Amino acid sequence: MLLRIDPQATTPLFTQLADAVRAEVVAGRVRAGERLPSARELAAALEVNLHTVLHAYQQLRDEGLVQMHRGRGAVVTAAAAQSAALHADLTEVARRARDLGITADAFAALARHAALTLEESA
């Protein structure tokens, strides 16, 4: 798994790292049950603070994409595989939105509204 971050970017490093892991999952390069590099290993490889990696892993845990296990580190969940399948659906809807002239920001707002509406009705 090759993760890249840009220390010069305005996006926080932990967000970049979490985004990079999500991208690996969506691309199918990381599968359910696979162990992510330890936080120490990844921090050393990317030359970032250990807490930056831990923050990214915690964000992924909160999203249900990884489980944290003492001694085993972060392990990709089955929900991550489902996210990969959902990404393909979202890509198609985003393409349709683009063809209709809907901006990325407007599309994101529509998707968020739809998700929140479903939560409220549950």
Side-chain angles (χ1 to χ4, degrees):
M1 177 171 63
L2 180 61
L3 302 177
R4 293 187 181 150
I5 56 171
D6 179 2
Q8 306 305 316
T10 58
T11 305
L13 294 176
F14 76 89
T15 301
Q16 290 182 49
L17 185 53
D19 289 346
V21 171
R22 280 188 215 95
E24 291 293 303
V25 168
V26 167
R29 291 184 290 267
V30 178
R31 301 188 190 284
E34 283 190 47
R35 184 179 164 273
L36 298 178
S38 76
R40 288 188 199 286
E41 292 170 351
L42 194 52
L46 296 174
E47 298 178 346
V48 298
N49 187 290
L50 171 64
H51 295 288
T52 299
V53 177
L54 290 173
H55 194 147
Y57 280 5
Q58 288 168 351
Q59 185 177 27
L60 294 167
R61 180 202 61 206
D62 292 348
E63 294 171 10
L65 298 179
V66 299
Q67 289 181 331
M68 304 295 284
H69 299 283
R70 187 174 297 278
R72 282 189 55 214
V75 177
V76 178
T77 65
Q82 295 167 346
S83 293
L86 182 59
H87 183 268
D89 294 340
L90 285 171
T91 300
E92 185 56 38
V93 174
R95 185 174 291 116
R96 183 170 172 221
R98 182 197 62 204
D99 292 347
L100 293 171
I102 297 172
T103 66
D105 287 341
F107 173 72
L110 286 169
R112 181 166 183 73
H113 177 71
L116 291 174
T117 302
L118 285 175
E119 282 183 11
E120 291 171 1
S121 67

